[in-house]
C-alpha cells in the first residue's frame, strides 16, 4: 500500500471515529461520515485534486466544528497544513447562525486555494444532497434560501476549480440563480 493510501485511511478512520454518533438531517438519517467522504470524493474524482493534504482536510473539514476535535489535535495528528485548511473552513459555533453565514460570504475570497477547494466541494455535496431530499423540518423556501446563500459564498471562490464551478453553476441555474 502506498504511503498516501495509508495516510488517507488513517484520516478516514479518525473522521469516522469523531463522527461515529452523528447523522445527516435527511429522512433516512444517513451516517454523517458519508458527507466528508463524499466531499473528498468530489475533489478527487470530479475536481481532479490529488493534493493529499486537501483530501485529508476534506475528510476532516467538520471535525472541529461538529465534534470535540480541536485545531491543536488536528495539528498534532495531521500537521500544520491540514489543520490550517480545516480551521479556515470551520465556522465559529459560538456566533449566531446568521452571523456565521455572513462571515462565510465575507471570508470566502480570502481563503487559501486549498481551503477554497474544500469549500467548493462541500457546497457542491450539500446542494446535491438538498436536491436529492429535503432535510427533516426544512420547507422549500428554506432550501431555496440555502441555495441563494451558497451562491453568494461560491461567488467568492471563483477561479479556484473550473470543473467544480461549472457543476455548481448548473445547480444554481436550475434554481433560477445567477452568479
Amino acid at each position: 500500500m502506498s504511503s498516501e493510501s495509508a495516510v488517507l485511511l488513517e484520516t478516514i478512520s479518525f473522521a469516522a471515529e469523531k463522527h461515529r454518533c452523528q447523522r445527516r438531517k435527511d429522512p433516512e438519517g444517513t451516517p454523517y461520515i458519508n458527507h466528508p467522504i463524499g466531499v473528498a470524493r468530489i475533489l478527487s474524482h470530479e475536481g481532479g485534486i490529488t493534493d493529499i493534504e486537501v483530501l485529508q482536510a476534506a475528510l476532516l473539514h467538520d471535525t472541529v466544528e461538529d465534534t470535540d476535535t480541536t485545531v491543536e489535535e488536528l495539528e498534532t495528528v495531521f500537521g500544520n497544513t491540514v489543520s490550517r485548511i480545516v480551521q479556515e473552513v470551520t465556522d465559529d459555533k459560538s456566533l449566531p447562525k446568521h452571523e456565521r453565514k455572513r462571515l462565510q460570504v465575507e471570508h470566502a475570497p480570502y481563503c487559501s486555494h486549498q481551503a477554497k477547494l474544500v469549500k467548493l466541494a462541500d457546497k457542491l455535496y450539500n446542494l446535491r444532497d438538498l436536491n436529492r431530499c429535503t432535510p427533516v423540518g426544512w420547507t422549500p423556501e428554506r432550501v431555496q434560501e440555502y441555495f441563494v446563500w451558497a451562491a453568494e459564498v461560491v461567488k467568492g471562490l471563483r477561479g479556484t476549480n473550473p470543473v467544480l464551478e461549472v457543476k455548481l453553476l448548473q445547480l444554481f441555474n436550475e434554481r433560477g440563480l445567477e452568479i
Side-chain angles (χ1 to χ4, degrees), residues 104-152:
Q104 273 202 44
V105 172
E106 186 178 300
H107 292 154
Y110 307 105
C111 289
S112 68
H113 182 76
Q114 294 166 312
K116 286 179 178 182
L117 287 167
V118 174
K119 280 185 168 290
L120 280 173
D122 183 38
K123 294 294 178 265
L124 185 54
Y125 184 99
N126 284 336
L127 294 173
R128 285 175 173 168
D129 214 32
L130 284 173
N131 277 339
R132 182 183 63 81
C133 71
T134 303
V136 174
W138 281 43
T139 63
E141 294 77 25
R142 184 170 176 191
V143 172
Q144 185 67 11
E145 287 170 9
Y146 187 93
F147 271 83
V148 169
W149 166 75
E152 290 301 310

Side-chain angles (χ1 to χ4, degrees), residues 48-119:
I49 303 304
T50 58
D51 180 332
I52 194 78
E53 291 169 317
V54 170
L55 297 174
Q56 285 181 277
L59 291 164
L60 300 166
H61 79 274
D62 280 335
T63 55
V64 172
E65 190 171 316
D66 294 339
T67 76
D68 63 356
T69 308
T70 65
V71 172
E72 296 75 23
E73 181 180 11
L74 289 181
E75 187 167 352
T76 299
V77 177
F78 300 104
N80 182 55
T81 301
V82 171
S83 175
R84 176 190 47 79
I85 298 167
V86 172
Q87 191 170 10
E88 282 187 82
V89 301
T90 297
D91 287 348
D92 180 349
K93 288 289 219 120
S94 71
L95 299 173
K97 186 176 185 176
H98 71 277
E99 180 66 7
R100 294 191 312 259
K101 289 178 147 277
R102 185 189 70 75
L103 287 171
Q104 273 202 44
V105 172
E106 186 178 300
H107 292 154
Y110 307 105
C111 289
S112 68
H113 182 76
Q114 294 166 312
K116 286 179 178 182
L117 287 167
V118 174
K119 280 185 168 290

